[in-house]
Amino acid sequence: MGMAAAETQPQFHVLAVDDSVIDRKLIEKLLKTSSYQVTAVDSGSKALEFLGLLNEEEEINSEFASFSPHHHDIEVNLIITDYCMPGMTGYDLLRKIKKSASLKDIPVVIMSSENVPSRINRCLEEGAEEFFLKPVQLSDVSKLKPHLMKGKSKENINGEINNNKRKGMEEISSPDRTRTRYNNTNGLEVI
Amino acid sequence: MDVGQMQRRLLDYTKSLFMEKGVLDGQFLQLQQLQDESNPDFVVEVVSLFFEDSERLLNDLTRALDQPNVDFKTVDSHVHQWKGSSSSIGASRVKNGCIAFRNFCEEQNIEACLRCLQQVKQEYYLVKNKLETLFRMEQQIVAAGGSIPVLELSF
């Protein structure tokens, strides 16, 4: 496997969050197979640490201190997180991200082993882009591309998409295993 | 046995693991399909993690159910984890055992939980045995200079 020397397309960087070592390995492989750069962490607090959402004192002592303390230097294009985690759940993490001025535009996808409609709706209403039922498949990962493109549009010099405005999103048809938030300018309509 | 015979034996054995009341489901095939030259030991690595994780959960569950006052929330949490990991590798009978187990946790039925633990333990050792056999057969083929045949199954 090699990348064509002429390939100039920047790699998307996905932050995966899951407390299960098996699921972390799996999601990492799925994402790498889809040509994404991956960082995998085992908790919501580690995710926030990586994203630079700790106070300064903690950052200095954290294992990510070798990275720039300014999260702007670490670019994350999408966060995919498990729902059921001890301590901070995926939902808690989602809320914290959406409350953060610097992070709220990073698309977030939730994964869960349990198909609980109220849970799914709650996450979509809180701003999650997609909800994947575990075990996650390659076909699920292929649904990430539009969300990643939307996030990256910030840096697209020629882009006409103003990422501060939510444009109508093409409804992604999905089988029962995923749920997508259909976005229109009037608000959110949950499928 | 020549390589061709070994490969056929491997395919037959693998198929048997998926058949009715088989120990594996389509998720295991997904794992095999993810394996490539950049990560030729991916399946063995994931399954090894599953074995380690399962041993730990088995110990934790045995201990938790041995307490004078059983904390069913803790028991349920362990079973939930085991259900997740077994589902992720395609160990369907372990997964199904965990689903039944969780129902009894909810009912706080200690006797039924103990029975479920034994059941899941047996299913786990069964799939562990089968997978170790599978990996051994693969190793033999590779050692004899052959390649691992890809199983084509439609689900």
Side-chain angles (χ1 to χ4, degrees):
Chain A
M1 166 178 109
M3 294 222 299
E7 187 172 323
T8 51
Q9 190 183 353
Q11 264 201 317
F12 289 119
H13 181 196
V14 178
L15 177 64
V17 191
D18 200 316
D19 62 310
S20 158
V21 62
I22 288 129
D23 288 345
R24 265 200 313 281
K25 191 164 173 80
L26 197 48
I27 194 70
E28 195 170 354
K29 184 68 179 150
L30 286 166
L31 290 166
K32 282 191 171 149
T33 296
S34 308
S35 302
Y36 299 126
Q37 194 192 335
V38 189
T39 300
V41 297
D42 65 4
S43 70
S45 44
K46 291 247 177 79
L48 291 176
E49 198 180 310
F50 185 75
L51 293 163
L53 214 58
L54 279 189
N55 64 49
E56 265 178 312
E57 193 189 295
E58 283 173 308
E59 270 181 20
I60 290 161
N61 297 322
S62 86
E63 63 189 276
F64 296 117
S66 55
F67 290 100
S68 164
H70 297 293
H71 61 262
H72 295 108
D73 288 20
I74 305 167
E75 202 192 320
V76 170
N77 305 115
L78 186 134
I79 298 160
I80 181 163
T81 177
D82 187 26
Y83 183 94
C84 279
M85 295 188 290
M88 197 187 298
T89 66
Y91 178 74
D92 298 330
L93 177 60
L94 167 67
R95 291 193 73 203
K96 285 190 153 64
I97 288 163
K98 291 305 171 187
K99 281 203 166 85
S100 155
S102 49
L103 301 178
K104 65 178 169 58
D105 291 327
I106 302 178
V108 181
V109 169
I110 310 278
M111 310 178 273
S112 178
S113 56
E114 292 169 323
N115 191 349
V116 181
S118 56
R119 173 186 296 184
I120 297 171
N121 290 337
R122 201 158 64 116
C123 290
L124 294 176
E125 278 163 22
E126 196 61 40
E129 306 290 340
E130 296 263 2
F131 190 99
F132 292 162
L133 216 45
K134 283 179 161 182
V136 178
Q137 312 288 293
L138 260 180
S139 54
D140 296 323
V141 175
S142 69
K143 294 188 169 111
L144 297 178
K145 198 66 181 291
H147 303 299
L148 284 155
M149 296 303 297
K150 184 177 63 169
K152 215 44 171 172
S153 69
K154 234 192 294 192
E155 291 145 46
N156 187 349
I157 302 159
N158 300 320
E160 285 159 16
I161 299 168
N162 180 343
N163 81 314
N164 289 323
K165 287 209 190 86
R166 295 285 192 189
K167 293 271 193 155
M169 215 165 78
E170 198 183 293
E171 180 178 321
I172 298 163
S173 67
S174 41
D176 288 334
R177 41 179 306 104
T178 70
R179 290 285 183 277
T180 307
R181 183 165 53 106
Y182 177 56
N183 222 335
N184 57 49
T185 50
N186 292 327
L188 304 176
E189 183 187 301
V190 176
I191 298 167
Chain B
M1 216 188 298
D2 66 21
V3 170
Q5 284 176 307
M6 283 197 264
Q7 286 170 328
R8 271 189 300 280
R9 218 173 122 239
L10 175 69
L11 282 175
D12 287 341
Y13 187 71
T14 310
K15 264 188 235 172
S16 74
L17 302 182
F18 291 98
M19 281 175 9
E20 204 191 297
K21 299 209 180 166
V23 293
L24 295 176
D25 64 27
Q27 178 59 19
F28 187 76
L29 284 181
Q30 293 285 334
L31 293 188
Q32 290 186 314
Q33 280 166 20
L34 281 173
Q35 186 164 283
D36 58 22
E37 315 82 54
S38 74
N39 200 176
D41 298 317
F42 176 69
V43 180
V44 170
E45 285 169 8
V46 178
V47 172
S48 302
L49 285 174
F50 171 69
F51 290 164
E52 278 169 35
D53 205 52
S54 297
E55 303 286 342
R56 176 184 64 85
L57 287 165
L58 187 50
N59 285 337
D60 290 348
L61 277 165
T62 306
R63 208 173 17 252
L65 284 168
D66 202 29
Q67 300 303 307
N69 289 319
V70 173
D71 180 353
F72 286 98
K73 270 188 76 180
T74 301
V75 175
D76 182 73
S77 161
H78 292 319
V79 181
H80 171 77
Q81 277 184 63
W82 211 354
K83 182 192 133 211
S85 58
S86 55
S87 165
S88 291
I89 71 143
S92 53
R93 283 166 65 159
V94 176
K95 179 190 77 174
N96 290 336
C98 288
I99 291 170
F101 199 156
R102 287 193 82 193
N103 289 335
F104 291 121
C105 284
E106 215 177 327
E107 287 176 25
Q108 307 212 348
N109 184 336
I110 180 84
E111 290 304 324
C113 280
L114 286 167
R115 275 199 301 274
C116 279
L117 179 59
Q118 289 314 307
Q119 179 73 16
V120 176
K121 188 167 147 183
Q122 274 178 39
E123 294 297 353
Y124 164 65
Y125 283 131
L126 180 63
V127 73
K128 180 167 196 263
N129 188 280
K130 302 264 182 189
L131 285 170
E132 284 174 339
T133 303
L134 185 76
F135 294 146
R136 218 165 24 243
M137 288 169 82
E138 286 183 346
Q139 275 166 7
Q140 284 166 1
I141 291 171
V142 170
S147 59
I148 313 291
V150 176
L151 185 67
E152 310 273 339
L153 273 186
S154 45
F155 273 84

